[in-house]
Amino acid sequence: MTSKKSRIKETLYHFLVENGPMTTAQLMYEMKSPLGSSNQLSQVLRTCYLFERVDIVMSGVAGGRRYETILWGALPLDVATRRFFGAPKHQIQPLSKQPVFVREYVEAIQNEVDE
């Protein structure tokens, strides 16, 4: 059984891999916002090891001032999942609590190594 957060991470990851880096606002617009609020989306992107800040871009005008927006991208799986290989295993984020596609990737690599 996967949690809502895991499904959101998986959806975001595959979308960013397929479409390239985007800002939070672009993601909300392009994905028709199945991800909750922009604050929730930003929190997932900021805290999840699957995503990285690609760039900071100047965006629209608010109150006569331009503001910066983070451009988010998805890390390659081989880079993002390094924490799950070798000893010590990651204790705070165990593999069993990760999205299904991450678990399958790590298990496939581990099976290749064991053979």
Side-chain angles (χ1 to χ4, degrees):
M1 183 170 152
T2 59
S3 69
K4 182 179 179 182
K5 263 189 184 174
S6 287
R7 287 190 304 271
I8 289 171
K9 290 174 187 177
E10 184 169 357
T11 302
L12 275 172
Y13 184 83
H14 292 300
F15 189 81
L16 286 172
V17 165
E18 193 173 300
N19 297 292
M22 293 187 178
T23 65
T24 305
Q26 289 170 325
L27 283 166
M28 295 287 291
Y29 177 78
E30 293 291 328
M31 298 182 78
K32 309 297 185 245
S33 189
L35 311 167
S37 71
S38 62
N39 286 341
Q40 290 170 323
L41 177 59
S42 294
Q43 182 70 13
V44 169
L45 290 166
R46 235 186 344 267
T47 60
C48 184
Y49 62 91
L50 294 168
F51 308 105
E52 67 177 338
R53 293 177 185 202
V54 174
D55 198 3
I56 295 179
V57 295
M58 296 305 285
S59 291
V61 178
R65 304 172 103 181
R66 293 182 61 85
Y67 58 94
E68 296 177 340
T69 304
I70 298 169
L71 194 62
W72 294 99
L75 283 169
L77 267 182
D78 62 328
V79 173
T81 57
R82 284 186 188 155
R83 65 180 59 211
F84 299 111
F85 295 105
K89 300 291 186 214
H90 201 286
Q91 299 300 316
I92 297 172
Q93 297 177 337
L95 185 59
S96 62
K97 302 283 186 183
Q98 302 312 307
V100 174
F101 77 102
V102 171
R103 290 193 311 253
E104 289 172 350
Y105 176 81
V106 170
E107 289 166 359
I109 298 295
Q110 286 173 339
N111 289 338
E112 285 178 16
V113 172
D114 291 342
E115 291 176 354

